[in-house]
Amino acid sequence: MTDEESRVTRRTVTDAESRRANRGWWDQDADDYQAEHGPFLGDVDFVWCPEGLRESDARLLGDVRGRRVLELGCGAAAVARWLVGQAAEVVATDLSAGMLRHAAAGADRSGVRVPLVQSDAMALPFRDGSFDVVCTAFGAVPFVTDSGAVMREVHRVLRPGGRWAFSVTHPMRWIFLDDPGEGGLRAVHSYFDRRPYVEQDESGTPTYVEQHRTLGDRIRELVAAGFVVRDVVEPEWPAGHEGVWGQWSPLRGRLFPGTAIFVSDKPAATGTA
């Protein structure tokens, strides 16, 4: 086994290890991430996924005018700023101070400002029923040990009738290596192996952790938290899109999905007789 191979593994980690690793990773990687992906994501735009699906076209959140919206795992908060342009009242959160620094820089460049809160998605610092909509594009959900707890927290802070929509790497992608080329077309892992992907240092301390759940797991998490699932969107790779983002590529994207977007609602309150 090479030194590089020994630093990438699939194994269980504690909640504390995961939180510490991912907060440290995103703090340190924030500059490189924005340099590489910032032009694609924009300063004021809502891009759901590397396939390029935009909320302006998909309208998965519905009409947000006058709605109070929470963006989890906001990164540089381009989504939150776009939502402000749709006349929503928006708050954006992220665990990483490094990413929130880029969110503040994006506000300076665009002139569009939203309140930024550093917080853990499993313990949101908001009152019950504070928001009409909660959303995240690849934020928070894949990076916590207990994503069911995130679903419960989102349910708590949503008002009855509120919407919760989030995008994650499509679960079937976990069968394959993170390779945008031919090597990424061969199945090598079990779809049912839910141990997280872990990068670790020479002492075995996790430095990056990403969690895998099956499609069924995600649906069960949502239902257990009290949501009604409205849609699961699997964006197709669009013609003419030749960009590569990590393991996303035209080669793989034209054969099988890379992203899953879950759209759900908190049931509206019903009156009593």
Side-chain angles (χ1 to χ4, degrees):
M1 179 181 293
T2 67
D3 182 59
E4 182 178 355
E5 288 172 334
S6 70
R7 296 191 184 187
V8 177
T9 187
R10 298 281 294 275
R11 68 174 178 86
T12 57
V13 296
T14 67
D15 179 63
E17 286 178 316
S18 179
R19 184 181 290 106
R20 184 167 51 248
N22 285 326
R23 181 171 180 173
W25 173 273
W26 289 109
D27 282 348
Q28 294 175 25
D29 193 59
D31 291 350
D32 289 343
Y33 182 89
Q34 282 304 119
E36 183 176 0
H37 302 301
F40 180 82
L41 295 172
D43 275 337
V44 185
D45 204 354
F46 192 151
V47 184
W48 275 108
C49 52
E51 289 86 352
L53 181 67
R54 284 176 161 77
E55 176 61 12
S56 58
D57 297 317
R59 294 295 177 183
L60 301 180
L61 302 185
D63 187 354
V64 297
R65 287 177 296 177
R67 299 299 184 96
R68 185 164 167 79
V69 182
L70 173 64
E71 184 190 6
L72 295 183
C74 67
V79 164
R81 289 189 291 274
W82 182 86
L83 289 164
V84 169
Q86 307 304 301
E89 181 184 349
V90 189
V91 177
T93 71
D94 203 287
L95 181 65
S96 165
M99 295 307 295
L100 290 175
R101 175 167 49 82
H102 280 280
D108 290 340
R109 288 191 300 270
S110 66
V112 181
R113 300 188 180 280
V114 298
L116 302 174
V117 178
Q118 186 174 11
S119 72
D120 187 329
M122 291 195 295
L124 296 172
F126 306 108
R127 294 191 302 271
D128 296 0
S130 297
F131 298 95
D132 300 296
V133 177
V134 182
C135 63
T136 184
F138 281 82
V141 176
F143 303 109
V144 298
T145 55
D146 185 1
S147 47
V150 174
M151 307 302 167
R152 293 190 295 273
E153 271 294 271
V154 170
H155 190 275
R156 180 184 66 78
V157 302
L158 270 176
R159 295 168 182 156
R163 173 145 295 187
W164 165 223
F166 62 93
S167 59
V168 293
T169 300
H170 197 288
M172 75 168 292
R173 282 288 176 106
W174 284 74
I175 301 169
F176 306 96
L177 297 175
D178 280 355
D179 183 343
E182 295 284 345
L185 301 181
R186 185 170 64 90
V188 296
H189 298 297
S190 168
Y191 177 72
F192 303 103
D193 182 358
R194 294 168 175 84
R195 292 176 302 167
Y197 168 88
V198 179
E199 296 180 9
Q200 54 194 17
D201 62 21
E202 61 279 358
S203 69
T205 300
T207 58
Y208 176 90
V209 179
E210 188 168 348
Q211 302 283 341
H212 166 53
R213 300 291 183 269
T214 68
L215 280 170
D217 291 338
R218 292 291 181 216
I219 298 296
R220 284 186 289 274
E221 287 179 344
L222 286 164
V223 172
F227 288 102
V228 175
V229 178
R230 299 301 183 189
D231 202 356
V232 179
V233 181
E234 299 165 296
E236 295 186 38
W237 194 267
H241 181 15
E242 298 301 321
V244 173
W245 177 318
Q247 48 105 344
W248 279 265
S249 67
L251 173 66
R252 283 154 60 92
R254 290 167 187 153
L255 295 174
F256 48 85
T259 298
I261 308 173
F262 296 83
V263 184
S264 63
D265 292 336
K266 179 176 180 176
T270 57
T272 57

